[in-house]
Every structure is written in structure tokens, then in C-alpha cells.
Amino acid sequence: MSTVQRHAVVAGAGIGGLTAALALHRHGWRVTVCERATGPTAVGAGIVLAPNALRAFDTIGFDITRAAGRVVPAAMGLRRPDGRWLSRADTAAPAARFGGPPLALHRSALADALAGALPAEAIRYGVAVTSVDDADGSPVVRTDAGDLDGADLVIAADGIHSPLRRQYFPDHPGLHHSGETAWRTVLPATVSPAGAVTAETWGRGERFGVVPLADGRTYVYATAVAPEGYRPADVRAELLRRYGTWHDPIPALLERIDPAAVLQHDLYDLAAPLPRFHHGRLAWLGDAAHAMTPNLGQGGCQAVEDAAVLGHLLADAGPEHVPAALAAYSAARCARTDAIRVRARRAGRVAALTHPLAVAVRDLAVRATPARATNRAMAALFDGFTLPDGMDTVPTGVGARW
């Protein structure tokens, strides 16, 4: 490990930024996390940490189950609006195959646990990073609260609308609207029936998901084909109109929704991959690097993987080795994350079909898919996380500019 006190500035205190800060902190880095929000917030929804993300957390010695609990649903699957199952599987089988079941928890619980593992002075709330100058040499981080200089590394974890991505990739086409909008909220805990399941229900251009969280609450979400910027005046009425006649327990869950706590966002991904995830001493991570639609539940999981790989490659890197380590990070992460981005987009198109005949064919295909094919698809996601051996091999083209 380097004996020099190395300093990293992280733009953004989301899941990816906090995980990267913790990974670096545990390898002896001093970290400064700049977050535009004025403080921690309980606003948000659920996140499902798949086995690949949990293994990535393991590599940095972070046990989220200590903060979130270990309660997992008995089964998961896909349903039709009338309640009939298109597919269903017990969680025991994938847990045995991949080393553990997915863990669903509130995003704020995960963020709080990550922040609590960092030094108290590491996170600066109410400080937005606006740009980074001289990323090739001695980066100067411009914020709305003044400049930060002397950083050996800057991590752009500044989200799907990343200002730093726009600064360094000005010719990139930016975001692509999926054609869907999404509503998300978390309902208070109630006495849950034994054998609760995680289920997503597919209709015609509409979906509804129910995810029991590890703390006893319930994460619900819905998506619908809708024009960009569509915002109904009455959220509860809109959701009841769309999903109120669907199978139990969806109507009862809708009755419990607090409209003020419902988040609505249009769904986007990157229109094209970035050519690399680094520039000199600056690295992009999570949505800033590879924004993807949530159709595979891998957006946050891939940010955690990014952070674990960055921490691994920078663990023993002295300040002079940071650019090479970041080039190795690009080499390790670009192909995997873009393959998942493309796969998520394709999955969303299938789930969002609206023509009755196309929907009927889709549902029949799902029901006819053998378990071994489903297992192969999950394996590509859950077994795909690895830590690279080192930073001595960078593919041709990584480092090219737009």
C-alpha cells in the first residue's frame, strides 16, 4: 500500500459514490464526498441488491445485512393482471446457486449504512461539483462553495444528468427516453402473510411490482408507456385507473399509498456507450458512466461493482499511478456495463408491449421458457462480477476521445 496520503474527491453521495468512498477509505485514502443535497434524506424508494452486488460489497468488507436485516421473500416471479403466474421460483434455488438471495431494502437505509462507515468529516452536504479542470494533471474541483485542489483522484458519481459527463464528452448524444414513466414508493410495515413474494405483473404497456423489504416495509413501483414529461394531476386516481382492477394485493396496496410520497420519473438510459470511463485522474461511475433502465434491477448493482473495482485497482496505487489505474478501470468495466445497458433496454421493450397479439405471444413465451434458460440469463448477471488482476493491460481504443 502507498505510504503517501492520497486524496480522492467524490462528486455525489449516492449509492455508487458512497461505496467508492468507502472502498478507497478502507485502502488508506482520504476521501471528500461533495453532495448537492443539504443533508441525508429519507426520501427515495427501494433497491434490490442482487448477488453480484452483495459479492462486490464483500470485497470491500461491508456487510449491509447488519444494517438492513436478512429477511427475504419466499419466492419471486412474473404475473398477469388477472393474477395467473407466468413464471415463479422459490428463492432457495438461486440462493444456493449464486451464494445468497437478492436483498431488498430502502435506499436511505443503504446510504445511511455506507455513510456511517465513513469518517464524520468525509461528506460535505450542500456542496455541488460544477466542473473539474486539469483532470490530466492536478485536478481542480470547482464547486458552488469554492474550489478544491490537490486531489489525486476525482470520481464523477454525479448521476444520470452528470455535469462532468457533459463537460468531458460534449459530443456524446446524451440520454435516450425509453418511452415509459415510473412511479415508486415505500409503504409502512404491516403484518405480512407468511411466504411473501416479490412479483412483477405485466399488462399491456403497464407493469406493477411488489417487493417486500428486509425491514418489513413494502416497496411498490409501476411503469406505463407515456410521453416524456407526462405528470397526472392526481397520482392516486391515475394509479387506481391503471392498476386498480388488477389482482390482489395490488388494489389494497394502492389504497395505502401516500400520494405525497410517490416519486415519478421518466425512464432513460444512455443513448450510446461512453468510449471510456476515465480521463486522466477523473473517473465516471454508476449512472454518470452507464445509465440504464431498471428492467434488470442492475443500475445500482453495477454502480456497486464499479466502486469495488475502483477500490481494488487503486488500493496500492501511488499518486503517480492513478491515471494507469483508471485506464485499467475502463478496460474492466466498459464492456460489461454496456452489455447490461443494452440487455435492459431490450427487456423493457418486451415488457412494454401494447398490442394484444404481441402481449399474448410474449406471455406464452415467458411461460414456455425452461428453467435452465432463465438460470443461464441470471448467471450472466450474477456471476459476471470479478475483480481484475491488475492494471497492465488496456485494450486498444480505451482512452480515445470523442
Side-chain angles (χ1 to χ4, degrees):
M1 180 179 292
S2 172
T3 58
V4 178
Q5 178 66 67
R6 301 158 295 174
H7 182 212
V9 175
V10 181
I15 302 306
L18 290 173
T19 305
L22 180 58
L24 293 171
H25 167 66
R26 292 190 167 174
H27 287 298
W29 285 72
R30 179 168 67 91
V31 293
T32 301
V33 182
C34 298
E35 168 54 43
R36 67 174 62 249
T38 56
T41 176
V43 175
I47 182 172
V48 179
L49 297 174
N52 54 307
L54 296 175
R55 284 202 304 275
F57 275 134
D58 286 343
T59 67
I60 64 173
F62 178 72
D63 181 8
I64 184 55
T65 62
R66 296 182 62 183
R70 298 177 181 271
V71 178
V72 298
M76 60 184 67
L78 291 174
R79 306 180 78 171
R80 291 168 31 131
D82 62 10
R84 283 184 285 177
W85 289 95
L86 297 173
S87 67
R88 177 182 169 123
D90 293 340
T91 55
R97 168 64 178 81
F98 301 111
L103 178 68
L105 65 160
H106 199 292
R107 283 180 177 266
S108 65
L110 177 54
D112 289 348
L114 289 165
L118 289 168
E121 70 277 7
I123 305 176
R124 300 186 184 181
Y125 290 105
V127 178
V129 173
T130 57
S131 64
V132 173
D133 296 337
D134 194 21
D136 287 310
S138 299
V140 178
V141 181
R142 311 288 186 189
T143 82
D144 56 6
D147 294 346
L148 298 173
D149 53 20
D152 300 299
L153 164 70
V154 180
I155 297 176
D158 51 348
I160 192 170
H161 299 289
S162 171
L164 297 182
R165 185 179 66 229
R166 292 196 298 269
Q167 179 186 357
Y168 281 88
F169 300 99
D171 297 324
H172 186 273
L175 297 176
H176 159 264
H177 181 233
S178 70
E180 292 183 278
T181 193
W183 297 270
R184 298 174 296 146
T185 194
V186 173
L187 302 179
T190 60
V191 178
S192 299
V197 300
T198 291
E200 186 169 281
T201 302
W202 288 4
R204 292 173 51 190
E206 297 172 333
R207 287 175 281 168
F208 196 96
V210 180
V211 183
L213 300 185
D215 63 4
R217 290 183 287 178
T218 301
Y219 168 39
V220 298
Y221 61 88
T223 71
V225 173
E228 192 172 10
Y230 174 73
R231 296 294 183 272
D234 188 329
V235 172
R236 184 193 297 278
E238 176 77 1
L239 295 177
L240 285 169
R241 178 181 69 82
R242 291 181 178 273
Y243 313 100
T245 61
W246 287 21
H247 64 79
D248 291 334
I250 292 174
L253 293 172
L254 291 175
E255 292 296 339
R256 294 176 53 207
I257 282 176
D258 174 6
V262 176
L263 304 175
Q264 183 180 357
H265 297 95
D266 294 337
L267 299 182
Y268 298 90
D269 62 5
L270 280 193
L274 294 183
R276 64 191 185 280
F277 292 168
H278 75 288
H279 180 109
R281 295 178 177 273
L282 172 61
W284 284 264
L285 175 152
D287 282 346
H290 45 69
M292 59 186 68
T293 53
N295 300 300
L296 300 179
Q298 280 288 312
C301 295
Q302 290 305 303
V304 173
E305 285 192 14
D306 290 344
V309 170
L310 266 177
H312 172 72
L313 290 170
L314 290 160
D316 298 320
E320 69 278 14
H321 300 130
V322 167
L326 297 189
Y329 164 69
S330 278
R333 298 299 299 158
C334 284
R336 172 163 167 79
T337 55
D338 193 57
I340 295 174
R341 178 189 67 86
V342 171
R343 184 174 163 185
R345 180 185 290 187
R346 291 173 178 168
R349 288 173 177 166
V350 172
L353 290 171
T354 58
H355 191 281
L357 180 58
V359 169
V361 172
R362 176 200 67 192
D363 291 355
L364 181 61
V366 172
R367 293 183 67 182
T369 301
R372 62 181 180 275
T374 301
N375 291 336
R376 284 197 301 269
M378 287 194 296
L381 294 176
F382 301 162
D383 285 342
F385 168 68
T386 58
L387 292 178
D389 292 333
M391 56 185 187
D392 55 347
T393 302
V394 180
T396 301
V398 173
R401 296 171 183 262
W402 282 95

